[in-house]
Amino acid sequence: MEFSKLKSWVSGSNDSFFPIQNLPLGVFSTKENGMKRICSRIGDYVIDLSLLHEEKFLNIQSIQQSHLKNEFLNDLIRLGKNVSTELRNQLIELFSNEGNSGLTNLIKCLISIHECSLHLPIQIGDYTDFYSSREHATNVGIMFRDPANALMPNWLHLPVGYHGRASSIVVSGTEIQRPSGQIVIKDGEAPVYSKSRQLDFELEMAFVIGKENRMGDPIPIQNSIDHICGFMLFNDWSARDIQKWEYVPLGPFLGKNFASTISPWLVSLEALAEFKCNGPDQTPTPLSYLNPEAERNFDIQLEIFINDTKICTSNTKYLYWSISQQLAHHTVNGCNMRIGDLCASGTISGPESTSYGSMLELAWKGTKPIVLNDGTTRTFLQDGDRIKMIAFAQNDNYKIGFGSCEGRII
Ligand code: MN
């Protein structure tokens, strides 16, 4: 049967964000069994992959229990894309074939998502944050520099980025403590030590490295997809007042590294294959090592909620620089990427004011407060606010969801 028309016998899964076409990878535990282990997901069920392996439903020579009874996905990813593809294909066969729907030993590998805790699935090595949305870079340039020259001269020639910090990347659901630091309350005055008064989020999509390159060997753009094992939704929490004072001349530091949140599921490129789309026109034409393919972007809808009020609808298709261009540029100098490294896109803003991916832009530097459903307003985030981001791709046959990327400010 045609892949996009495939259905699963797992009840409720076909219309959910986790149909048979998705099958993301994650790490879970339950109350009864606190050991972290590798899983996939279908509908409202976690698929316990180590149990599935123990029950001999998986038949892949290179996959052993140690890859699945593991608190991170890195060892499984290290086996290579052929192995993850084979794993995915065997899951598709197991859960689409009606004949399997009565197998007790298979059904016991499905655990209700409500009984599971999901954990940070990747042991993240290095983390890089790009700045790849033209709309976001333009908005920030207008607010902080010069409306006539909003983009810096390098911006249309290369995907700008900085090296962030992996230690403070946490999984969805982790509470976020408001950071303190140096802030300047009135321009021209001396800084004070204070809690941040301008706490913000940044709506981003991140990709994970699944194949290494040797130091000194750039990853050519046409091979870049081989090195990427999947996507995760990402919130790059930002303290704008700390950032504004500290960033000159070396860039973001303590305004960024106190916390970032990722969604719990690694969504494969195969699950998103049907959602490739054209990127924005690139003029001037980038140098040849960044040579863009036509279909280099993905059509993935993004939404942000503050305490259940939807405040933004954006899309990864707006990104000016594609993930392939980001990775080709990151390694053009010979920088070596390692399995589990994470690269985030930068805030993804669209052309409409309702598609801006940060409070800084949505409330335009505090000048246009956002009204929530309960009648209260926000220019930046308050203590107790819950920020939820979701992402999903959708066609006539199915939806691919990412799970939510959530955090409450304390
Ligand atoms: Mn960012």
Side-chain angles (χ1 to χ4, degrees):
M1 189 193 275
E2 196 187 326
F3 173 70
S4 64
K5 300 252 166 73
L6 270 186
K7 300 282 178 204
S8 169
W9 50 263
V10 176
S11 74
S13 65
N14 296 317
D15 299 323
S16 79
F17 282 124
F18 298 94
I20 191 85
Q21 286 83 0
N22 192 344
L23 298 171
L25 292 172
V27 171
F28 84 110
S29 64
T30 56
K31 257 193 196 134
E32 293 72 47
N33 182 353
M35 189 178 70
K36 292 180 186 174
R37 49 213 199 270
I38 308 299
C39 61
S40 183
R41 179 165 174 179
I42 188 155
D44 277 343
Y45 297 90
V46 152
I47 307 171
D48 182 339
L49 294 185
S50 71
L51 189 55
L52 203 64
H53 185 261
E54 224 163 72
E55 294 289 341
K56 311 240 182 297
F57 285 111
L58 290 180
N59 177 25
I60 305 169
Q61 228 170 14
S62 49
I63 295 187
Q64 297 174 4
Q65 273 296 316
S66 62
H67 297 112
L68 303 174
K69 283 191 172 155
N70 197 310
E71 58 181 324
F72 293 112
L73 291 169
N74 298 50
D75 291 342
L76 183 61
I77 292 169
R78 195 174 294 277
L79 297 175
K81 229 173 217 190
N82 291 343
V83 174
S84 351
T85 303
E86 184 53 30
L87 172 61
R88 177 180 161 82
N89 290 341
Q90 292 193 9
L91 292 176
I92 290 173
E93 167 61 23
L94 282 169
F95 293 100
S96 65
N97 184 345
E98 279 293 335
N100 291 337
S101 63
L103 298 177
T104 325
N105 286 354
L106 183 56
I107 291 167
K108 80 175 184 195
C109 299
L110 297 174
I111 303 170
S112 164
I113 186 75
H114 307 293
E115 292 170 26
C116 297
S117 300
L118 298 171
H119 305 281
L120 186 75
I122 310 280
Q123 188 167 27
I124 299 165
D126 283 308
Y127 151 54
T128 301
D129 197 21
F130 284 95
Y131 193 52
S132 289
S133 153
R134 182 175 189 161
E135 288 81 359
H136 172 70
T138 303
N139 288 338
V140 173
I142 290 172
M143 278 185 266
F144 289 108
R145 283 190 303 272
D146 171 11
N149 299 292
L151 290 181
M152 297 297 270
N154 60 1
W155 202 92
L156 292 171
H157 294 276
L158 55 83
V160 171
Y162 69 95
H163 286 124
R165 191 162 174 85
S167 64
S168 53
I169 300 177
V170 295
V171 74
S172 176
T174 310
E175 292 186 325
I176 303 300
Q177 183 180 302
R178 180 179 295 271
S180 294
Q182 284 199 21
I183 64 172
V184 172
I185 289 167
K186 224 182 188 177
D187 278 345
E189 288 185 357
V192 297
Y193 171 76
S194 166
K195 283 197 167 186
S196 169
R197 299 165 186 200
Q198 297 185 348
L199 187 54
D200 199 355
F201 52 76
E202 292 191 333
L203 172 66
E204 308 197 13
M205 185 60 75
F207 65 84
V208 177
I209 297 297
K211 182 182 170 187
E212 310 197 328
N213 61 309
R214 266 209 308 247
M215 188 172 162
D217 291 349
I219 298 173
I221 192 160
Q222 63 274 16
N223 298 355
S224 56
I225 291 302
D226 298 342
H227 290 259
I228 295 171
C229 62
F231 285 116
M232 307 178 83
L233 188 55
F234 191 82
N235 179 354
D236 179 23
W237 302 97
S238 299
R240 299 299 178 195
D241 38 9
I242 297 174
Q243 183 185 355
K244 190 179 176 211
W245 171 236
E246 73 176 1
Y247 87 102
V248 186
L250 290 184
F253 186 34
L254 305 182
K256 295 282 190 176
N257 71 2
F258 58 95
S260 310
T261 301
I262 53 172
S263 55
W265 298 108
L266 180 68
V267 177
S268 70
L269 294 176
E270 288 156 304
L272 295 166
E274 307 234 340
F275 302 96
K276 291 197 87 174
C277 65
N278 291 334
D281 168 60
Q282 292 188 324
T283 309
T285 306
L287 292 174
S288 61
Y289 78 92
L290 292 171
N291 200 11
E293 313 155 66
E295 284 212 328
R296 65 182 184 278
N297 276 19
F298 291 86
D299 182 358
I300 304 170
Q301 184 160 327
L302 307 166
E303 297 178 358
I304 311 174
F305 300 79
I306 299 184
N307 306 333
D308 303 322
T309 302
K310 194 200 285 189
I311 55 160
C312 166
T313 303
S314 188
N315 195 301
T316 53
K317 71 183 177 193
Y318 297 134
L319 284 172
Y320 187 86
W321 295 106
S322 69
I323 54 165
S324 297
Q325 291 177 317
Q326 289 167 12
L327 187 54
H329 184 65
H330 201 312
T331 61
V332 71
N333 63 348
C335 172
N336 52 320
M337 308 298 288
R338 293 181 294 194
I339 285 167
D341 285 355
L342 189 86
C343 294
S345 58
T347 309
I348 306 171
S349 295
E352 313 293 334
S353 59
T354 51
S355 63
Y356 295 166
S358 66
M359 283 303 280
L360 180 68
E361 297 162 270
L362 286 164
W364 206 258
K365 218 167 78 172
T367 61
K368 293 180 186 166
I370 287 181
V371 183
L372 304 187
N373 290 343
D374 64 4
T376 61
T377 59
R378 295 289 184 284
T379 50
F380 289 99
L381 303 178
Q382 293 182 359
D383 288 351
D385 281 349
R386 254 183 320 107
I387 307 306
K388 179 168 91 171
M389 297 176 175
I390 62 165
F392 59 91
Q394 185 165 23
N395 62 22
D396 291 342
N397 298 309
Y398 58 89
K399 298 178 280 201
I400 300 290
F402 283 67
S404 73
C405 183
E406 243 178 286
R408 196 172 72 95
I409 310 295
I410 55 168

